[in-house]
Each structure stands twice: as C-alpha cells, then as structure tokens.
Amino acid sequence: MTCTDLSGEWSVFLDETKFETLPKAFPDKIILPNTTSNARLGKQNEEKANGYLTDLYRFEGYAWFRRKIAITREQSEKELTLLLERTRKTAVYVDGEKLGEYCSLTAPHRYAINGLSEGEHELVVRVDNTEYPTKGGHLTSPDTQTNWNGITGKLALLSYDTYPEAIRITSDLSKNTVTVNSAILGGKSGTALLRIYNDEFEFARETTAFSESFECTLTLSGSVPKWSEFSPDLLNLEIAIGEDTRVVKFGFREFKADGLKFRINGSETFLRGKHDGMVFPRTGCAPTDIESWLSVFKTAMEYGINHYRFHTCCPPEAAFDAADALGIYLQPELPFWGTIPDKPDAEFEFLKAEGFRILREFGRHPSFVMMSMGNELWGSREALDSLLGEYKHGFPDKLFTQGSNNFQWVPCVLPNDDFFSGVRLDGERLIRGSYAMCDAPQGRVQTARPESVHNYDAMIAHESVTSGGSAGGEIMIQYGTEMKKVQSEGGELLIPNVPVVSHEIGQYYTYPDYGEIERYTGSLRHFAYEMYRDTAAEKGLLSYAERFFKASGALSVECYRREIETVLRSGKMAGFQLLDIQDFPGQGIASVGILNAFMESKGLIEPSEWRRFCASTVLLAELPRFVYTSGEPITCGLLISNTAPNVDIREIEWRVTLNGEELAEGKSKLERTDGRITRAESAKFTLRCDKPAAVTLLLRAGGYFNEYTLYVYPRIDVKITENEITYNGKTLPIVHDKPRGGALCIPYSEEGDLKGEYCTDFWCYGMFKSISESMGKPVPAGTLGLLPNTESELLRGFPCEAHTSPVWYDIVTHSFAANLDGTEITPDVWVIDNPERASRLALLYRDGGVVCTSRLWEIADNIEVKHFAASLMNAIL
C-alpha cells in the first residue's frame, strides 16, 4: 500500500446558500488540513458572544475545496481510496462527476475512486457543516470546539491491491491468545501472514486464508508484556498480504468489571478521570497529530489523571495513539444529548451506525476500554439496552454504559450495563459533593462543615437503603444551558451491582484571570472575559481582580480536594470523572479549572501538591473537622487508597508540626485491607497553644505523603448575645441599625439579601440563574468565597489566610453578603462576587462604624467565633 499525501494548498469557495452544482470559480486559497475559520476565510463575525468563545470567521454552509491530483500508471492499475480523516458531511467529485456523499462526525471518510486513468485529474471535496443527522453534542457545539468547517486530519490517496481495514484485536490473558478480525479491501481472496512482535521478541506467527475478511487466533509464546497505566507496553501486529503490509500497534490487556470494581489484567484499578469536550481555544478544533495529544495527556497525568471521558464526542486517532503510549484509559461517547425514541428513527439509526464506526475504527487501541451512549439521556430504556447488547456482542473487550448520568433523578442499571455513571442513586442518595440549585439537594462540599471522614459507601451498600423506588411521571430537568420537561418511567430501588463512577464531579468556579485574554490569538476570542473585565473596571473592582482570582482559586482547590478525597475513601466507588481540572469556556463560561482552557497552569497549586490527593497511591486522614480547642484530644483515622503495583507500606508515620516545631508524632501499623483501601491504626494526639495557631498534620509512608491544616484556638471566656459581646471585663454593644463608633453593627438580613455561602459557586452564575428561574427553583447565591484583608486591625486577633478556610465556615454560613454598590468602601473581608453580576459585597467593613453581617450570637459557643468576636472588640474599643 502506498499513501499519497494530499495536504497543502487547495482552492476554496464558500457558499452559505448551499447551491448544489459545482462552483465555476474557487477564488480563495487554504492550506489543508485546516478549518475555514483558522484560514480566516469568509465574512468576519460581528457577534461578541458572552456565553462561549467567539469564532471570528464563523461559517456555516458549503465549503468547496479543489485541487489537482496526478495518477501514476501504477496507481491506475490498483485500488484507490480517498481518505479524509476528520471532517463534517462530505461529497466528492472527480473530473466534475459526483462519486458520492458520506457523513460521520467521528470516523474518517473513505471514498473508492477506482478506474482513474494515468494523468492529472480534478478533485473537489464539498464539506457541509449544517443539518447534521444529530445535534452532535460537543463535536459541533460553539461551547467547545465550535461548529467548524474544513478538513482537520489526514488527507491522502491510498493505492493497494489488498488492504486490511477495521482491524479488531481481542486479548485473552487466561489462554495467552490474541484474536484478530479484519476486513480486506480489494475484493480478492488469498492468504495473510500475521506476526506479533516488539523490538526484542516475536511472540506469534500465523497464516490465515481470507476473502473479504478473516478471523485468526494466535497463541503467544514467552513472557508477553501486558498493557496498563503502569506499564503501557505496546506490541506490533503485522498483516502481510503479498506485497502489501500493514503494521498496527496494540496492547495485550484485559479491562473488566468485577462486581463493584474495575480490573486491569486482574488487578483492581480506580479511574481518576477528567471530562473532555475537546476544547482547544487556539484553533477551535481538536488536533489530529500525536504530539499535541501527548502534550495534553502528559499535563493531565501531572495532576494524577489516568482516565478521560469524552463528553458526547470521540477524539481523532492521534488521541488513542497518545493514550496507548502513556497508559490512559479512554471513554468515547456517542455525540448525543437528548431522548432515545421507543421506535428507532433516522437520528437513532445514525447514532447506532456512528457507534459501530467508532468501535471499528478505534477499537483495536488498548486505551479504548469503555464507551458511553451519550450524556444525560432520557427516553426508552429498552432501546438503550438493545443498543448496548449489539455493541457488546461485537466488541466484548470493551465495557459499555447506557450513558453518563442518564435519567438523572430516576437512574437505573440496565441488564447490558457494564458500569454505572451518575451523580445520585435516587433523590437523596448523592454520590458527588456539589450540585446546581436546580438539582438540589446540594452536596456535602456545599452544605457541610469541612471534614475528611464522609464517604459514599453507605449510599451504595444494600444494607443502608431504606427508601423504595421512584415513581414515574413528568418532571422538569436541566438540559444543557436550558430546561425541559421529560417523561420519567420511574423505577425500582437501585442497588448497583456494577462499578459506580461519579459523574462530572467538582464544577467549582474560580474568578477569571484577565491576563488570559491575551492568550487568544487564533480564530477564537474570549469576549466574555473582556466584558467581565470592563464591568469590573466600571464598578471600581478591577484593581482587586487578581486577589479575587487567587482567593477564589484557593477555595476551589480546597473544594476539589475534599471532593476527590471523599471518593477515594469510598471503597465501593470505582472512579470519578472531574469537571474539570480545565476551564470550560462555554455554557455560560465556566472557569472551573485549576488549568485554563489551554491546559496551562493558573498557578493555584503545583502538580506535585495536587497528586498528594489525586494519584494511584494516596494517604488519607479522617478528621471530623479542622478547627479545635487547645487541649482537646484528637483521634484521626488513617487510610491508604492504593492501586499501584509493588507498593510496600507497612506503617504510616505521622507528625504534627507548628512552624517546623514538632508537637506530636507517631507510627501507625496497618490493620486491614479491603480492596484498594487499607486502614491503619488511628493517630491520637492533643494540641495545646496559648494563641491561635495553624498546625500541620503530615502523613508519610513508602515515599508518599499528604498533609492537612488544623486550626487550634486557646480557650477564652467570651460571651456573645444578640445585643453585646463581653470579654475581659469589657462590653461591646451590638446594634442592628445604623453603624456608630464604640459599637459593632450586625444588621438583620432582609428579603433579597444574598445568603452567606462557604463553597464557591457551582459551574457559573449566569447559566444556572437562568435555569433556576425557568424551573421556578431558588437562584444560586453566585458568590466565590472570601477575600480577608490579613493586615486589617479588625482581624489582628483572628489570624487567617487571604482566602476562605475552615475557620470561616460558621461565620459565613450565618451571614449575608452586604451589597456596597455605589460606594467606594474597601471591605476588611470581601465576599467575592461572580464577574457577571460584579457587585461590591462584604462580610466585614467600616462605614461610620464597624459592620459585620454574621449573626455571631447564633454560633456563640464556637471557639473560633469567640476569637473572631474578641478581635473585633479589641479593635473597636
């Protein structure tokens, strides 16, 4: 087989009217592979989108591409196939004659162009990015990679006598065999020679007869390296037919579900996944070269990621090649976000065929371990289960799920489901830490005091369940950036018997870094960030933007850590899929990442620090809270979550330090192991201090470590009532109306005041405000944590960081955010507002006297509140 590269300069004509006949003129030029937007063809887009990135040269219609091709005598005597790797709906013309049309949003387009004579011919490819047979999910959405037009992957002319295609490779570790299935292009029968080898050894050699296809099982000899995240060893499969030879790489591996666990080659593994909608802001389309995907995946791996869930999309082959090389487990997904009909319609049939195209095209890759039918689907469970069954029959080495978070409030496990991906097991059995207000009840990270004990095992275990199933009927749900009504079938009590993966966990918003705006130098612009920046400037907040970014980012990191550690403590969970370590510049602009949309660090946390709580081996401390009174005895459970091989840990060393000075230490022997989780003896210690202190609990074992901050306060005799604070023989009056000197003003909240929230906002304010209003649900507060002025005289006796920390939990949750719009007051403790509303909000400030919005008398017995009140009193009197 020979491959003639057709990349390079093509002539192009853009037609929004979609006229069917061949153009007479092609006035523009483009270097393919590329998109028309990146080539800056067509009219400039005047829109300035505020909910997603703006495509400066957005074009929808027919893009006609033309070039000359030279056919040699040898090519004219062989089979010829035109390959268009990554494109939209296409039609191909040769010498003015239409050869046909093809539609796949994920798989390469191939056209047989046999019978061409030696010499020069005119090739025209028409690409249409309108009226797809399905909406396309994140493959075509302006929220992610845009609805581009063009050809972004390999363009080539293949010539051959016979060519193996749709190669499927299935490993059986118990028998030490590999079964190869392949179609043979060329329409001839004959014999194929198959070899399996690597750089050192040949493991198998076999011949097999074929006509249009073949199936051949090879028995491997010797010690065959197995593929996994820890040893992504690849083998070569060579298929030789006469003079035509094709070599593909594959991995000898088995990825299976075993009860509630995933196993790779017989060993338990745990998915530490991220969502991916193929957001690439430099180009607006996914790259098709392996180097780009190696860079993306290596960055993710630096943050402990071993798994990618592609949201309503499938990446190009280069992503599978890169994941094969690095050991990342991939989950492509059908490009569908909607309702499955009872009887198959045209869209369903397209999606079904698209799934088979994905499996046949990329299924040989060892990184392709699992597949989903779509995102948050509703409709016919029977049709979904039937589809699963067809895919499983043809591709038994993959694990399949009905979809990601299907039937949201009434989830189920279908007979053909290999694993479950969702956010709840019924209305109250929650398996992630955060939810939108329209999906309430909210999660523990949003509503509970910061702690590190909770896990989801009780939500999954049979013995914990007391509620019945769910009733059917019409219900209202969030659907993308909108809401819609769906018909629910209801269901029986859900007790999972397959691995459970927590869907789209996180979504903790960080105030934007406006310095990122200048990074948008390609065909996309972040006009939403520019609008936010301009609004901040108009309201006198821009000078605080960097501090808002860092403070909200620190809170977001804390929330992500609590979220991830909760899943790691859950022995009955099989993994999580984050949304996301990367910003999502669509669906209202969700700055939820610790990396920006370019997969670059925001500087919020070092990768090595993140991996302390997101890795194959993590040491975990179980603490019911992080704020303590001096002299209070502390008992801390110790755990190890481990799926890495050859980890030899026999005890956990723990130390408690203050500014480097050791306060307590010990060694805890391991007690019992249940799957990946091993429990050690609890650590017990008592901390004493004569002034507020932030101490560090450090865990070490086998080269791994983790650390937690504990806040310790000495006992003080502070009494707080609704009308006064008394301390050291002094009394500070509390007033509730007008601030004045010599008193603390704690105004009563009024209707419309923003309730104090410890956690940062979920996803983004604008989108869920609109959805909540449409559904008649409470609107989110939309705040992003605190920015305390650590130099403030009011906080002199209440040392704290310049961001939200557990010492603020009760103070914040018993407060409201004072709106200081129209003033130039600089709060001593800011409540950071989202950039869309951009209000000047405060918890503590001065305006003719000191004003605090926290109802301290409701939490008067808490030690940190006593110190906060004493600090205010000492500064005022």
Side-chain angles (χ1 to χ4, degrees):
M1 191 270 289
T2 59
C3 177
T4 302
D5 183 13
L6 298 182
S7 64
E9 185 177 85
W10 291 59
S11 301
V12 61
F13 171 69
L14 302 185
D15 179 17
E16 291 179 319
T17 66
K18 298 173 57 174
F19 195 61
E20 288 293 333
T21 58
L22 280 166
K24 295 181 179 180
F26 292 75
D28 296 312
K29 303 292 184 182
I30 189 172
I31 302 298
L32 293 178
N34 205 350
T35 69
T36 58
S37 292
N38 284 326
R40 287 169 163 70
L41 297 177
K43 296 180 293 185
Q44 188 161 353
N45 181 12
E46 299 299 325
E47 177 192 20
K48 290 190 175 183
N50 62 5
Y52 47 82
L53 301 179
T54 299
D55 185 346
L56 293 180
Y57 290 87
R58 183 184 65 197
F59 169 78
E60 293 184 346
Y62 286 171
W64 298 83
F65 303 96
R66 182 183 69 180
R67 65 161 290 165
K68 300 291 185 180
I69 57 172
I71 302 298
T72 66
R73 178 178 298 178
E74 182 181 16
Q75 288 175 317
S76 70
E77 298 170 350
K78 291 182 176 291
E79 303 285 333
L80 296 179
T81 296
L82 174 66
L83 173 68
L84 309 172
E85 183 192 359
R86 195 77 168 179
T87 183
R88 302 306 202 185
K89 296 160 55 180
T90 60
V92 169
Y93 301 74
V94 175
D95 297 332
E97 295 294 324
K98 186 175 182 178
L99 292 187
E101 298 184 0
Y102 196 75
C103 179
S104 174
L105 300 175
T106 57
H109 294 205
R110 294 182 176 90
Y111 288 87
I113 54 173
N114 301 321
L116 294 186
S117 60
E118 179 184 1
E120 191 173 75
H121 298 268
E122 182 187 73
L123 173 64
V124 174
V125 178
R126 187 191 74 198
V127 179
D128 177 12
N129 64 339
T130 68
E131 299 178 345
Y132 300 116
T134 186
K135 290 183 179 179
H138 284 340
L139 277 171
T140 58
S141 167
D143 293 301
T144 52
Q145 58 171 316
T146 77
N147 185 30
W148 52 264
N149 193 316
I151 304 169
T152 63
K154 181 185 296 184
L155 300 89
L157 188 62
L158 310 180
S159 60
Y160 52 87
D161 291 318
T162 53
Y163 182 67
E165 186 188 51
I167 298 170
R168 179 157 53 90
I169 304 170
T170 306
S171 302
D172 188 330
L173 271 60
S174 65
K175 297 179 180 179
N176 218 38
T177 61
V178 169
T179 299
V180 180
N181 298 79
S182 178
I184 302 296
L185 299 183
K188 301 173 182 178
S189 60
T191 301
L193 171 65
L194 281 66
R195 288 199 310 133
I196 294 175
Y197 62 95
N198 63 12
D199 292 340
E200 299 181 64
F201 303 103
E202 180 179 274
F203 298 103
R205 177 189 291 255
E206 190 69 63
T207 58
T208 186
F210 71 86
S211 54
E212 295 180 352
S213 63
F214 71 80
E215 178 178 302
C216 180
T217 298
L218 297 88
T219 300
L220 308 184
S221 61
S223 178
V224 184
K226 298 178 181 65
W227 184 94
S228 74
E229 64 183 290
F230 302 106
S231 55
D233 296 308
L234 295 172
L235 304 176
N236 300 306
L237 168 65
E238 178 185 274
I239 304 175
I241 304 172
E243 296 180 358
D244 289 322
T245 299
R246 185 178 181 191
V247 178
V248 296
K249 293 187 179 297
F250 77 100
F252 189 53
R253 65 104 177 108
E254 287 181 343
F255 190 87
K256 293 185 174 182
D258 178 15
L260 294 175
K261 302 181 185 302
F262 291 119
R263 295 194 182 276
I264 177 72
N265 305 328
S267 298
E268 182 179 358
T269 191
F270 184 86
L271 300 181
R272 304 180 306 278
K274 82 174 286 295
H275 160 287
D276 193 279
M278 294 197 289
V279 171
F280 291 91
R282 288 187 179 87
T283 61
C285 63
T288 54
D289 64 291
I290 190 172
E291 291 78 13
S292 294
W293 282 101
L294 285 171
S295 176
V296 167
F297 287 153
K298 285 179 179 179
T299 299
M301 291 174 71
E302 288 181 0
Y303 291 87
I305 298 300
N306 70 348
H307 165 56
Y308 260 63
R309 173 248 170 163
F310 290 95
H311 183 304
T312 57
C313 59
C314 177
E317 183 150 37
F320 291 94
D321 287 332
D324 291 349
L326 297 175
I328 296 203
Y329 305 124
L330 301 187
Q331 177 192 309
E333 195 166 86
L334 290 183
F336 187 54
W337 192 347
T339 300
I340 300 292
D342 293 326
K343 295 182 179 180
D345 57 10
E347 182 178 28
F348 182 85
E349 293 296 346
F350 170 80
L351 290 165
K352 177 180 174 179
E354 191 79 334
F356 276 116
R357 285 188 283 266
I358 291 170
L359 288 160
R360 289 171 182 144
E361 195 68 40
F362 309 119
R364 66 176 174 80
H365 290 274
S367 57
F368 187 170
V369 297
M370 53 212 306
M371 185 173 173
S372 164
M373 302 302 98
N375 182 69
E376 297 180 348
L377 306 180
W378 289 83
S380 173
R381 298 179 181 183
E382 291 75 16
L384 268 175
D385 195 53
S386 176
L387 181 61
L388 287 170
E390 291 190 59
Y391 289 154
K392 289 178 69 170
H393 177 74
F395 298 87
D397 63 321
K398 305 285 183 283
L399 299 183
F400 294 91
T401 184
Q402 59 179 279
S404 300
N405 197 32
N406 283 8
F407 309 107
Q408 300 160 12
W409 288 92
V410 286
C412 63
V413 173
L414 298 175
N416 279 309
D417 273 326
D418 292 315
F419 66 100
F420 173 84
S421 173
V423 303
R424 58 173 62 84
L425 301 177
D426 62 35
E428 301 296 328
R429 293 162 60 206
L430 310 182
I431 54 172
R432 77 178 188 194
S434 61
Y435 298 80
M437 286 294 290
C438 62
D439 285 334
Q442 294 189 296
R444 284 185 64 87
V445 176
Q446 296 167 305
T447 61
R449 184 185 310 280
E451 46 79 29
S452 61
V453 174
H454 180 69
N455 66 63
Y456 299 124
D457 288 347
M459 301 295 106
I460 298 170
H462 181 282
E463 60 270 16
S464 71
V465 178
T466 58
S467 60
S470 50
E474 188 177 74
I475 60 175
M476 194 179 298
I477 64 161
Q478 174 218 340
Y479 178 66
T481 59
E482 302 169 349
M483 55 76 66
K484 71 174 183 178
K485 293 179 180 179
V486 296
Q487 192 67 31
S488 163
E489 296 182 22
E492 298 178 354
L493 180 67
L494 176 55
I495 307 294
N497 58 355
V498 295
V500 176
V501 178
S502 191
H503 164 85
E504 294 185 357
I505 71 171
Q507 307 189 47
Y508 299 111
Y509 191 92
T510 295
Y511 192 88
D513 174 10
Y514 297 130
E516 186 187 323
I517 293 172
E518 64 187 27
R519 307 284 291 117
Y520 288 84
T521 57
S523 58
L524 301 181
R525 290 292 184 273
H526 208 322
F527 289 130
Y529 268 16
E530 293 186 24
M531 294 175 198
Y532 294 163
R533 181 193 59 193
D534 294 346
T535 299
E538 291 169 6
K539 294 195 171 185
L541 301 176
L542 188 58
S543 61
Y544 302 99
E546 184 176 359
R547 281 171 280 182
F548 290 167
F549 160 68
K550 290 180 178 178
S552 62
L555 175 58
S556 177
V557 167
E558 182 210 320
C559 293
Y560 273 112
R561 175 179 179 171
R562 289 173 59 196
E563 181 94 56
I564 291 170
E565 289 195 352
T566 301
V567 187
L568 289 178
R569 288 191 299 269
S570 306
K572 297 184 185 300
M573 294 290 292
F576 60 78
Q577 295 165 340
L578 287 166
L579 182 56
D580 195 0
I581 62 169
Q582 176 188 14
D583 279 350
F584 189 95
Q587 289 185 221
I589 308 296
S591 303
V592 296
I594 56 167
L595 310 177
N596 63 23
F598 299 91
M599 287 290 283
E600 301 164 337
S601 173
K602 293 182 179 181
L604 301 174
I605 185 171
E606 290 297 318
S608 58
E609 294 179 69
W610 184 272
R611 290 197 305 274
R612 294 177 190 174
F613 56 85
C614 184
S616 57
T617 305
V618 175
L619 309 180
L620 298 161
E622 292 181 316
L623 291 156
R625 61 187 190 280
F626 296 109
V627 178
Y628 293 92
T629 302
S630 177
E632 180 181 356
I634 299 172
T635 299
C636 171
L638 299 176
L639 306 174
I640 304 171
S641 173
N642 176 60
T643 56
N646 306 317
V647 173
D648 184 17
I649 295 177
R650 303 187 183 182
E651 61 183 14
I652 298 176
E653 299 179 22
W654 55 268
R655 297 174 61 233
V656 182
T657 63
L658 174 61
N659 299 325
E661 178 185 351
E662 187 173 287
L663 304 180
E665 57 87 25
K667 296 180 179 180
S668 296
K669 294 181 180 180
L670 305 189
E671 291 184 329
R672 61 185 184 278
T673 297
D674 183 4
R676 64 179 168 82
I677 293 182
T678 298
R679 182 170 291 278
E681 298 170 331
S682 295
K684 298 181 179 181
F685 51 89
T686 300
L687 299 178
R688 292 181 171 83
C689 60
D690 55 11
K691 60 182 179 180
V695 304
T696 300
L697 169 62
L698 178 66
L699 310 181
R700 290 183 181 276
Y704 302 95
F705 69 98
N706 202 353
E707 64 180 33
Y708 299 80
T709 300
L710 282 61
Y711 301 89
V712 185
Y713 293 86
R715 297 181 185 276
I716 55 173
D717 186 19
V718 175
K719 290 183 172 54
I720 309 169
T721 69
E722 195 167 349
N723 297 310
E724 64 183 21
I725 300 171
T726 58
Y727 174 53
N728 276 348
K730 297 180 181 179
T731 298
L732 174 67
I734 295 177
V735 298
H736 304 290
D737 43 20
K738 186 176 181 180
R740 59 180 174 82
L744 173 64
C745 180
I746 302 182
Y748 294 121
S749 62
E750 299 177 357
E751 185 176 352
D753 285 336
L754 290 175
K755 180 178 176 291
E757 298 278 359
Y758 180 86
C759 185
T760 189
D761 194 32
F762 180 88
W763 191 247
C764 72
Y765 175 71
M767 174 177 144
F768 278 108
K769 175 179 181 290
S770 173
I771 293 172
S772 291
E773 289 172 343
S774 298
M775 296 175 69
K777 299 287 185 70
V779 171
T783 52
L784 314 179
L786 305 179
L787 173 62
N789 176 7
T790 57
E791 302 300 317
S792 169
E793 180 186 8
L794 297 175
L795 301 178
R796 186 172 298 170
F798 189 71
C800 57
E801 298 96 335
H803 55 80
T804 310
S805 65
V807 302
W808 289 101
Y809 178 78
D810 281 308
I811 297 171
V812 171
T813 56
H814 289 77
S815 75
F816 67 93
N819 191 320
L820 304 180
D821 282 347
T823 77
E824 296 183 357
I825 296 172
T826 300
D828 294 83
V829 178
W830 288 84
V831 176
I832 304 169
D833 199 14
N834 66 79
E836 183 172 342
R837 184 172 55 203
S839 287
R840 182 180 292 254
L841 304 177
L843 183 148
L844 181 65
Y845 62 99
R846 305 174 199 239
D847 182 19
V850 176
V851 182
C852 173
T853 66
S854 180
R855 300 176 299 280
L856 302 181
W857 60 88
E858 296 178 353
I859 44 178
D861 294 334
N862 292 14
I863 187 64
E864 72 276 20
V865 177
K866 291 177 180 289
H867 280 265
F868 179 69
S871 182
L872 297 180
M873 181 176 183
N874 289 335
I876 294 171
L877 295 181

